[in-house]
Every structure is written in C-alpha cells, then in structure tokens.
Amino acid sequence: MPAPIRLRELIRTIRTARTQAEEREMIQKECAAIRSSFREEDNTYRCRNVAKLLYMHMLGYPAHFGQLECLKLIASQKFTDKRIGYLGAMLLLDERQDVHLLMTNCIKNDLNHSTQYVQGLALCTLGCMGSSEMCRDLAGEVEKLLKTSNSYLRKKAALCAVHVIRKVPELMEMFLPATKNLLSEKNHGVLHTSVVLLTEMCERSPDMLLHFRKLVPQLVRILKNLIMSGYSPEHDVSGISDPFLQVRILRLLRILGRSDDDSSEAMNDILAQVATNTETSKNVGNAILYETVLTIMDIKSESGLRVLAINILGRFLLNNDKNIRYVALTSLLKTVQTDHNAVQRHRSTIVDCLKDLDVSIKRRAMELSFALVNGNNIRGMMKELLYFLDSCDPEFKADCASGVFLAAEKYAPSKRWHIDTIMRVLTTAGSYVRDDSVPNLIQLITNSVEMHAYTVQRLYKALLDDISQQPLVQVSSWCIGEYGDLLVSGQCEEEEPIQVTEDEVLDVLEGLLVSNLSTPVTRGYSLTAIMKLSTRFSSINRIKKVVSIYGSSIDVELQQRAVEYNALFKKYDHMRPALLERMPIMEKTASNVHTMFFGGYVWYYFFTLNCAFLSLAIPPMTAYSKNGLKIEFTFERANPNPNIAVITIHATNTTEADMTEFVFQAAVPKVSHDLSVTFVLEWPSQSPDLNPIENLWRELKVRVAQQQPQNITALEEICMEEWAKIPATVCENFVKTYRKCLTSVIDNIYRNFWTIKRT
Amino acid sequence: MQFMLLFSRQGKLRLQKWYVPLSDKEKKKITRELVQTVLARKPKMCSFLEWRDLKVVYKRYASLYFCCAIENQDNELITLEIIHRYVELLDKYFGSVCELDIIFNFEKAYFILDEFLLGGEAQDTSKKNVLKAIEQADLLQECCMTDTVSQSFSMV
C-alpha cells in the first residue's frame, strides 16, 4: 500500500488544473483515496490525510467525512496529530452537531497535559468554538489554569474564560476569585488578556462593575507607566509602548467611569496626558487618541477635557488619512447631541466631507450635516445639502431627501422657501422620495394657504417638464385638483402668473392617466383631481366624459372611483359641490374619537369589501366601550355575492347628553385595492330629531299649552282644533328648512369621508 | 472579532477563521458576499465599511486581502494594527512572506494566527513571544516524529 501523497504535493497538483472540472476530478480521486485510508484505520498517515482534507475544504469541497478522524487525531499522543486534529476540529466541526461533544473528554485531558503547548491547543480550541455544554463541563479546568503562575497558559485561560462567560453567563461568578491579582502581573500578554476579561465581566454584570471600580487607580498607574516608560523593544510599535494594551485599558476605564463621578475624576489627568502626549504621525498613535476620545465623551469628564476631545476629532477631520477622517465623523455623530456647540465649530469641514470620494465618509458627513442644521444656518446648509442630493449616489437619495424634508419642516425661514425647497427635492430626486412624504407634503401645502396659487403654478410647470417622478406627479395632481381654479385665473403673486386654459390643464391630467410612466396610485390621484375640477372649472362635460370612460377601466381601483364619481354626477349631483369643496386645514395628529350624534342616533356605515380572503366567519366584536359610547363591529357575507364581506359598524350613545365632533377615520392598507366605502344614511324608527314631523309636534304642543286644557276630554278637543288650525305655510317652512338641515348634517359627515387615507 | 478572511485578488479564499458559530452554508454565503463587496472597493476608499450590522476592516498586502469583521464597540484603527501585526508575524516566520507561502503552508498560517489571537482577541502583544512559542511548538512536532524510527521526515 503506497503512502498517500504529501500535502504540498497535492496542493501543487491541484493548482495545475486548468479548468474547474479538472480540479473537481483530482479532488474526487484524492477524496476516494483518503476515504479508503480512513476506513483502514491507518494511524500513520491519518494526520497527512486530514491536512489534505482541510485544504480541499478551503477550496469549497465537502469534508464532513473527516470529522471523526479529527477526533481520533486529537486523542492521539503525537503532538503533530493533535495540532492538525484541533485545527480540523475548529474548521470542520460546529457546535450544532452532537459530534463535537465527543471532543470534551479529550480537551479535558489535554488541559491537564504535561506539555504547555498541548494545553495551549486545548485552551485555544475551547476558546474559539466551545459550545455551551462543553463550556459548562470544562469551566472548572479553565478556572484552575487562570490561577497558574505560567503566564503562557494564564493569558490563554483568561481569553478562554471570556468565551465561557459569553456562552454561559451564569458561570461568571466562578471566575471572580481568580481575577484577584491579575493586574499585578508584569507579563503584558497576561495583562492584556486580563483587561479583556475584566471588560467582559463589567459589561455583563452591574455588580461586577461595582466590584471592579476599585481597580481604577491601578489601571491608571499601569497606563501611566506605559506612557512614561522609556523605549521597550519588545512591545514597541512605531515609538509607542504596547498600543494594544493602552487601547484596552482605555476601554475598560470608559466602562468603569461611565456614570460615576469619582472614577471619572480619578482618570481625568491620565486622559488629558494621553490626549496631549500621544504621537499622531502614525496610525497607532491615532488609534490610541481615538479610544481616548471615546472614553472622554462617555464618562463624566470636565468640560475642558470634552473640548479637548472634540478638537482632536476636528484635527482628525483634516487628516490626509481617510481612515482617520472616517473615524472622526463617526465619533462626532455620537457626540453631536450632547456637545452640539463644540461640534458646530467644525461644520464647514464636515460639509466639505460631503464631497469626499469614499461612500462611507459621504454617508457619515451627510448624517452629521443634518444633525447640525439649525435655525441660523438653515439657508447655507440647505444649499450644500441640495447640491449633495443632486450629485450623490442613488443609495443616499432617499435618506437625503427625507432629511431635507425634516430639516425644512423644523427650520424653514419662510413658507415660500419651504415650498421651493420641497419642489427642488421633488424635481431632482423625486423617484427616491419615500411613500409617506406625499401625504405629509400635501398636508403642508394645504396649510400654507397664502402660497396655494404659487405652489400650484410651480407644480404645474414641473409637470409640463417631466411626468416620470411619481411622488412629484402625485403631489402636483392633487394640487391641481384642489387649486386648479387659482391656476387658470392667474392669481399668482409670488411670481409671474402663467396663462393656462382649463383645457390645457385637463390635457395634462388626462395625459397622466394614459401615460405608461404613471403608476396605478398616480392614476388614482389624477382621476380624483379631474373630478374635483368639475366644481372649479366650467368644462363639466369634458370631465363627465373622462369619468365615464374610466368606469370600464381594467384597473379595478380606477374603475371603482370612476363609477362612484359617475354616481355623483347622476344621482347625487346636489351633493357634489359640498363633497368636492376645498380641503380644510388638517391637523397633523390623529384626533381623539369624540362622537357627534344627534340625540340617541345610531349611524350605520356600510363598508363593502371585495376581499376574497375574508372566508372565515368572524364573530361580532365590541371595538370600543367607554363613557357611554359603544362601537361594535359585525361581519357577514353580502347576500347576492358571497365574495363580498360586509363590515357594519354600530355606534351608540347611551348617555343623556349629545356627543359632538365625532370624527371617523379609516386607514386602508394597500393590499386591499378593492375597497368601496359607501355611506348610507339611515336612522332607526324610534329616533326623533331629524324627522320634520317633530317640529310640527312642537308647534302643536305650544299652541295647546296656550289654551290650558283642564281635563282629558278638553285636551282631546283642543288638540283636534289646534291641529286643524295650523296653516299650510308653517308646514311648508318646515319642509324647506329640513332640506338645509339635512345638507348641513351630510356636510359634516362627508367632511370626514375624505379623511380616509390609504396607508 | 467575529471572523477573519484572507483572499486573493481573484477572490480565492486562502484562510478563514470564524469566532462565531455559523453553519457551513452561512459561512459560504457570507464569504462570497463579503469578498465581492471588498473587491469592488476602489483604491481611494477607506479601509472600513459597514456590512450588514458589522464593521468590516480590510487591508491589502501585495496580492492578499486581509479582512476582519469586528463588533460595533471595537476600535477600527487598532484592528488595522492587529492585521499588521499578523502580517509581520507571517513575514518573520516565512522570511519575506508572499501569497504562495500561505497557500502551501496554510496550516502553519493557522498555527501562527492561533498563537496570536484567541477567541478573536490578541493573546500576546509581544511579537517575540508569539514567534518563540511557534518555534517551540514546531520543535515539539519534529521531536515527536524522530522518536519513531519508521516515520519519514515530514509527516505532513
């Protein structure tokens, strides 16, 4: 039986393969040889075979059949075997498979081995991939090694303990005694790993944190020695003594000093010292400064120190090294809320970073710029940010646009500026604007009453240029629908009014309806806008025609709207002006549900939902029952068409007083396209107030009371008499005012109709 | 540190060290995506990038990319130093290390890494100590082989 080929020879051979197929063939051949070798339980060459398997695994080929072999290698007495075996275990085994538990015993034995390098292998493997079960079993051994005087093992045990604690936090207590004099070690390796262990414990447990706070003076001393001591060749990196240890100590100090005045004070001096004395020409020095700044900002440091920290960051921003600039921007972003004024001083440098070539730096600079915008710098900042919006990568545009809207809302110096800014965003980055900005913008425009004419004119002109950006088109359609009359009558004060006819406006809106660029949502907006213009324009016939055409559109949403609008023209034409009149100023926040009722009315609101998924029978539910107002939902299938679910809302007022200002809002999810909301006004038989006969009864009561009947017979006589006496004119009057009364009731209800939002 | 990857400019993996438990499939996916992302970076860009919810620090040494994924509270600049320290160790061990050394002696590259980092953190900040430990372990490997007469010189 020839010896299996050596690892390096295999590597050489595989690298000569010219195609993927050739490589695969070689690999398969070798795998087969390895498999038979494993089957023969060949102890001599097991190590070699597993090593080859690991190489093939790195190339991406399956190697799971080598898992058990790794375990056999680990159990071997030969150091070579163990080395490869543990490596294989770390690469091939994972804690999800039970196989890995077989390692536990071997590791336990090796942790107690006479050779420290074997112990080291075991500690390394446990600390790298030990599962919770393994950690539980072996924590005791690790704890023992943490107390050894052998620094080679002690440092490894410390990091292994970190892993154990991460996997099984409850075991943290058990390592506490061993940490007692970890920091008195001279060996930097042990010191470094000990600080890591202490950091882990303090981060996980507030009790540990309290316990270890007393170490602050010792840590400060160690740090001081590192900085003050002369050149130490063993730990020197570019003239700085053990920067890794310095950084870890600074991080531990940060955790210990957080929200504790005494500790923070104890470290003030050393932080100032590190901040001022560290050499900044190389990355190492800057790494330490960076950690120092993070610590200063996080603990309760005095203001002088904080200013020092921010100035360091300011200097970082001017550094040639882009890594340093990146790190500065990240840190400034963290501190901009707490030290706003100090960061403001570096605003111009930050804004310059918007032009950096690096994507990460640009993003940080953008976030920071938005954080720095305030009432004083809004105009200048917005100029820069809009310029950035124009030229930035698509991945930024959505966030930038949202940021601009937010900043404009908070700090706009004037309404016109605000609207101009919004227009600029919509025209340059319109397709990246988020969905929720459209309703927000509409609300903003509605509330800027004096700017209506200007806004609609500008939006109209933008539409003439470009109809591809949907949010812009949607907002424009909506505006034209609302304020089209202002557009046509040329009422704009802010700029030269344009001459445009009703037909031209309708051309544009109809163009949106047929354009391929328009989404269904946009088409909905356009159709509604056209409909609204029926009360503002005189060319009603044209509008009627458009609406009736879309009554047979294949887009269900559009069809539904068109059908309802058609109905408005035909059956409810008297309601049309009221329904389509100008929107009132909207409140941004959802109002509380008060109720508007007339006496003990029950309003029925019928909702027809063409949703196929409503297949289950749903029991009725009480949605709200408080202070005499009860709202109940019942669900049933419509009788002729079982695909339609009818949701009925019963609202009852059981108090004696009237309830006023009932606002009903329905938010409809996008999923259900087919929602039809129909108001049907009905009232039950026993409800008095809106029945005109009530007024007549009152009239009779008054007349009868004047006669003062003394007994029942007299009462009957007088009633009959007075009834006959009531003139026809009185009745006529009641009928006339009744129409007005009804209209105003309907007005109030239909006002709420339009607050049905699509979410 | 969550993991460290070494790969060539063609995207071939030369070393992968994982400090978090993930399935083979997940590891392959992460490796593929991250390698693509890093290779797409232009030379003028900084060494840090945000990827998924991790911070990734990478540096190119000749034809090899050294790529580490660190946690949010870790210091990016010192991670660059850690990468540099590892490269120095490899350099000292192999004598002017190049990619081929790592290809043909990948197991040694792992041994050195495992002597320098444990669980993603540095065990020893002294270059000398790490190299000495490796040297001793190598000797131990040779010793135990020369014990048994029938073994050939290189077991692997």
Side-chain angles (χ1 to χ4, degrees):
Chain A
M1 183 67 216
I5 70 169
R6 285 184 211 221
L7 171 65
R8 317 226 190 274
E9 215 177 297
L10 176 70
I11 297 176
R12 207 170 298 130
T13 314
I14 291 178
R15 281 170 66 78
T16 62
R18 273 163 297 171
T19 63
Q20 187 74 29
E22 211 181 315
E23 182 185 276
R24 216 176 307 135
E25 211 182 294
M26 291 179 187
I27 302 263
Q28 274 172 355
K29 191 159 150 231
E30 186 56 37
C31 273
I34 293 176
R35 259 192 244 252
S36 48
S37 193
F38 283 163
R39 266 197 301 271
E40 288 163 22
E41 297 284 340
D42 183 339
N43 289 334
T44 324
Y45 294 109
R46 183 177 286 127
C47 178
R48 185 183 287 184
N49 286 327
V50 169
K52 287 187 285 186
L53 204 54
L54 293 180
Y55 177 72
M56 295 190 282
H57 178 252
M58 185 144 66
L59 291 179
Y61 295 93
H64 43 268
F65 61 90
Q67 285 169 354
L68 279 173
E69 302 302 314
C70 292
L71 294 174
K72 291 182 197 163
L73 283 175
I74 291 173
S76 156
Q77 288 311 307
K78 297 213 289 264
F79 184 66
T80 315
D81 284 355
K82 282 189 192 286
R83 237 184 168 186
I84 296 286
Y86 276 118
L87 179 62
M90 286 193 272
L91 288 175
L92 299 181
L93 290 174
D94 85 77
E95 60 175 52
R96 260 167 262 245
Q97 301 149 340
D98 289 333
V99 176
H100 83 280
L101 288 170
L102 297 171
M103 266 201 292
T104 315
N105 221 27
C106 284
I107 294 186
K108 188 169 191 169
N109 291 335
D110 284 342
L111 284 173
N112 291 303
H113 203 274
S114 50
T115 314
Q116 68 177 17
Y117 298 105
V118 173
Q119 290 173 294
L121 284 176
L123 280 168
C124 183
T125 308
L126 182 60
C128 175
M129 60 161 302
S131 63
S132 333
E133 296 96 334
M134 280 172 75
C135 287
R136 255 185 250 271
D137 286 339
L138 301 169
E141 307 295 328
V142 177
E143 198 258 342
K144 240 176 20 196
L145 289 171
L146 193 51
K147 298 194 281 219
T148 177
S149 53
N150 180 338
S151 46
Y152 177 78
L153 291 175
R154 208 168 182 204
K155 71 187 189 199
K156 289 182 194 269
L159 289 181
C160 198
V162 170
H163 179 84
V164 169
I165 291 173
R166 282 190 188 147
K167 282 296 196 185
V168 193
E170 306 91 72
L171 292 175
M172 196 179 347
E173 290 287 324
M174 119 187 236
F175 293 104
L176 189 52
T179 62
K180 215 153 176 219
N181 40 24
L182 275 177
L183 290 184
S184 359
E185 264 276 0
K186 288 280 179 261
N187 180 298
H188 279 226
V190 178
L191 265 179
H192 184 270
T193 59
S194 304
V195 172
V196 174
L197 176 58
L198 292 171
T199 309
E200 185 71 27
M201 291 169 101
C202 291
E203 273 176 337
R204 281 184 182 267
S205 156
D207 289 330
M208 292 288 180
L209 180 61
L210 277 165
H211 173 84
F212 286 124
R213 262 218 183 103
K214 59 179 192 271
L215 293 175
V216 169
Q218 204 174 356
L219 287 164
V220 168
R221 228 177 306 131
I222 298 173
L223 191 52
K224 195 158 190 172
N225 283 338
L226 282 173
I227 304 170
M228 307 297 269
S229 68
Y231 177 70
S232 141
E234 200 176 331
H235 301 109
D236 180 273
V237 180
S238 305
I240 297 181
S241 191
D242 207 339
F244 303 105
L245 183 56
Q246 287 195 38
V247 164
R248 278 331 293 231
I249 292 180
L250 286 164
R251 184 157 150 191
L252 181 55
L253 286 175
R254 178 154 83 243
I255 294 168
L256 294 173
R258 220 179 253 158
S259 45
D260 185 62
D261 291 321
D262 292 327
S263 308
S264 301
E265 208 190 306
M267 43 179 101
N268 247 319
D269 283 342
I270 191 68
L271 289 173
Q273 212 178 347
V274 175
T276 40
N277 289 344
T278 308
E279 185 66 42
T280 59
S281 54
K282 293 264 174 72
N283 183 58
V284 218
N286 288 321
I288 296 176
L289 278 179
Y290 176 37
E291 197 74 33
T292 313
V293 165
L294 289 176
T295 303
I296 293 174
M297 299 317 290
D298 223 8
I299 63 171
K300 302 196 152 214
S301 43
E302 41 178 60
S303 58
L305 203 54
R306 293 182 87 86
V307 172
L308 180 62
I310 298 213
N311 287 342
I312 291 176
L313 292 178
R315 277 205 308 274
F316 273 8
L317 276 179
L318 301 166
N319 197 307
N320 282 330
D321 186 342
K322 44 197 156 9
N323 293 334
I324 311 280
R325 289 204 300 275
Y326 174 89
V327 144
L329 285 170
T330 313
S331 315
L332 284 171
L333 200 51
K334 284 193 212 144
T335 67
V336 72
Q337 300 303 335
T338 42
D339 295 88
H340 193 93
N341 292 331
V343 180
Q344 278 283 3
R345 258 177 252 138
H346 302 280
R347 196 179 68 241
S348 51
T349 326
I350 292 169
V351 168
D352 278 339
C353 288
L354 284 171
K355 306 189 185 88
D356 201 297
L357 292 161
D358 184 306
V359 159
S360 315
I361 291 184
K362 273 205 272 232
R363 176 167 285 282
R364 290 276 185 285
M366 180 183 82
E367 287 169 8
L368 204 44
S369 301
F370 278 124
L372 289 175
V373 170
N374 62 28
N376 292 328
N377 57 37
I378 178 79
R379 282 188 197 266
M381 287 296 274
M382 198 51 85
K383 219 162 52 190
E384 296 284 347
L385 288 165
L386 286 172
Y387 180 73
F388 176 69
L389 181 63
D390 279 339
S391 53
C392 69
D393 297 328
E395 63 183 286
F396 289 124
K397 291 209 192 224
D399 289 330
C400 190
S402 299
V404 168
F405 285 152
L406 238 100
E409 200 179 306
K410 279 207 273 196
Y411 303 112
S414 74
K415 283 238 152 88
R416 163 137 185 210
W417 181 96
H418 195 170
I419 289 181
D420 282 341
T421 307
I422 290 175
M423 294 253 1
R424 174 88 182 269
V425 174
L426 286 180
T427 46
T428 56
S431 32
Y432 298 98
V433 153
R434 296 213 169 91
D435 283 345
D436 62 353
S437 12
V438 172
N440 286 338
L441 291 175
I442 288 178
Q443 193 232 346
L444 171 72
I445 293 172
T446 313
N447 292 353
S448 321
V449 178
E450 66 281 11
M451 304 295 310
H452 285 168
Y454 171 73
T455 312
V456 69
Q457 178 162 298
R458 285 214 58 196
L459 285 171
Y460 177 75
K461 283 201 273 189
L463 262 193
L464 292 175
D465 274 333
D466 173 20
I467 59 168
S468 63
Q469 309 205 72
Q470 299 307 297
L472 176 64
V473 175
Q474 286 165 13
V475 175
S476 304
S477 309
W478 189 91
C479 270
I480 295 173
E482 278 290 306
Y483 313 120
D485 48 328
L486 299 176
L487 181 64
V488 168
S489 59
Q491 283 184 28
C492 182
E493 286 173 359
E494 301 276 343
E495 63 174 26
E496 185 69 33
I498 56 172
Q499 307 295 338
V500 60
T501 64
E502 287 184 6
D503 275 322
E504 284 172 330
V505 174
L506 288 170
D507 281 340
V508 170
L509 287 176
E510 280 189 53
L512 293 174
L513 276 173
V514 300
S515 166
N516 285 332
L517 296 165
S518 300
T519 62
V521 172
T522 307
R523 290 206 180 93
Y525 271 89
S526 311
L527 189 61
T528 306
I530 293 177
M531 187 59 193
K532 285 193 208 168
L533 290 175
S534 72
T535 54
R536 295 157 175 66
F537 281 3
S538 50
S539 30
I540 298 189
N541 287 328
R542 176 173 177 179
I543 293 174
K544 271 193 191 168
K545 218 163 76 178
V546 174
V547 167
S548 67
I549 290 174
Y550 280 90
S552 43
S553 159
I554 26 169
D555 180 333
V556 182
E557 166 70 36
L558 225 49
Q559 188 196 109
Q560 188 144 351
R561 287 193 189 205
V563 164
E564 283 169 7
Y565 296 155
N566 248 337
L568 262 183
F569 275 127
K570 298 212 166 72
K571 279 201 284 177
Y572 301 104
D573 201 42
H574 49 282
M575 287 192 202
R576 191 166 43 87
L579 243 124
L580 300 174
E581 85 179 4
R582 275 261 209 284
M583 289 296 274
I585 296 196
M586 304 184 225
E587 288 302 317
K588 186 116 198 229
T589 54
S591 30
N592 298 321
V593 176
H594 304 288
T595 52
M596 174 184 93
F597 285 128
F598 300 82
Y601 268 2
V602 172
W603 296 111
Y604 288 78
Y605 299 94
F606 285 83
F607 291 78
T608 43
L609 239 84
N610 297 326
C611 26
F613 60 78
L614 215 58
S615 52
L616 304 163
I618 305 172
M621 58 175 262
T622 306
Y624 183 96
S625 177
K626 213 161 76 163
N627 299 331
L629 170 65
K630 182 159 156 211
I631 298 181
E632 234 178 295
F633 283 70
T634 52
F635 309 84
E636 53 196 54
R637 286 188 198 287
N639 227 328
N641 184 353
N643 285 331
I644 297 177
V646 178
I647 303 176
T648 313
I649 299 179
H650 298 242
T652 331
N653 171 10
T654 53
T655 67
E656 300 209 63
D658 288 356
M659 290 183 177
T660 54
E661 285 161 305
F662 179 79
V663 174
F664 186 84
Q665 289 183 319
V668 178
K670 256 189 190 135
V671 178
S672 56
H673 297 293
D674 311 318
L675 169 77
S676 152
V677 174
T678 326
F679 278 154
V680 176
L681 282 177
E682 258 195 34
W683 59 85
S685 46
Q686 300 303 320
S687 20
D689 294 9
L690 272 190
N691 192 334
I693 195 75
E694 287 305 307
N695 299 332
L696 204 50
W697 291 135
R698 201 184 339 113
E699 186 67 24
L700 184 64
K701 247 204 255 186
V702 164
R703 285 168 189 246
V704 166
Q706 276 170 357
Q707 299 292 351
Q708 292 181 7
Q710 296 302 322
N711 55 49
I712 296 262
T713 347
L715 181 61
E716 196 187 43
E717 263 175 34
I718 296 172
C719 277
M720 303 285 267
E721 256 175 51
E722 291 301 324
W723 183 258
K725 274 199 215 159
I726 295 176
T729 44
V730 170
C731 296
E732 251 174 61
N733 202 21
F734 286 147
V735 172
K736 260 192 224 145
T737 54
Y738 176 62
R739 190 193 195 89
K740 199 168 156 209
C741 171
L742 253 194
T743 319
S744 82
V745 165
I746 293 169
D747 258 357
N748 271 310
I749 294 169
Y750 277 96
R751 251 168 213 282
N752 301 323
F753 179 90
W754 291 107
T755 62
I756 290 175
K757 281 193 205 179
R758 291 195 164 255
T759 51
Chain B
M1 198 183 295
Q2 295 218 352
F3 57 84
M4 183 191 279
L5 302 172
L6 262 70
F7 51 90
S8 71
R9 281 202 290 192
Q10 289 76 38
K12 289 209 155 218
L13 200 60
R14 300 300 179 205
L15 189 146
Q16 51 174 331
K17 188 76 190 177
W18 298 85
Y19 296 110
V20 286
L22 291 167
S23 71
D24 232 11
K25 201 163 142 212
E26 288 167 322
K27 285 182 193 166
K28 281 207 169 105
K29 183 159 184 261
I30 291 174
T31 307
R32 194 178 44 232
E33 284 176 18
L34 190 53
V35 167
Q36 251 174 10
T37 311
V38 172
L39 288 176
R41 301 271 289 182
K42 302 192 193 72
K44 285 221 184 289
M45 293 182 158
C46 71
S47 299
F48 314 129
L49 59 104
E50 294 100 41
W51 187 78
R52 296 197 184 178
D53 56 346
L54 292 169
K55 295 202 279 199
V56 172
V57 180
Y58 72 94
K59 191 144 187 219
R60 203 185 100 207
Y61 287 85
S63 58
L64 266 183
Y65 281 90
F66 286 71
C67 188
C68 297
I70 58 176
E71 265 109 17
N72 272 313
Q73 60 270 45
D74 289 334
N75 182 328
E76 296 97 318
L77 298 178
I78 207 76
T79 309
L80 279 174
E81 292 300 319
I82 296 225
I83 292 176
H84 191 73
R85 173 57 63 90
Y86 181 46
V87 173
E88 282 179 325
L89 290 166
L90 289 170
D91 197 49
K92 209 58 196 279
Y93 183 82
F94 288 107
S96 276
V97 69
C98 64
E99 192 184 342
L100 277 177
D101 289 322
I102 301 190
I103 294 172
F104 279 94
N105 301 284
F106 71 93
E107 86 277 15
K108 300 218 173 78
Y110 273 109
F111 295 153
I112 295 170
L113 184 60
D114 285 339
E115 202 58 49
F116 174 42
L117 300 178
L118 200 160
E121 303 282 350
Q123 304 169 34
D124 208 315
T125 54
S126 154
K127 231 188 311 185
K128 195 177 80 179
N129 285 351
V130 177
L131 288 166
K132 199 164 72 177
I134 296 281
E135 208 182 318
Q136 301 279 31
D138 282 349
L139 273 172
L140 196 59
Q141 198 171 312
E142 255 169 75
C143 268
C144 80
M145 285 183 316
T146 56
D147 274 354
T148 44
V149 177
S150 58
Q151 306 307 340
S152 53
F153 173 68
S154 163
M155 214 35 233
V156 169

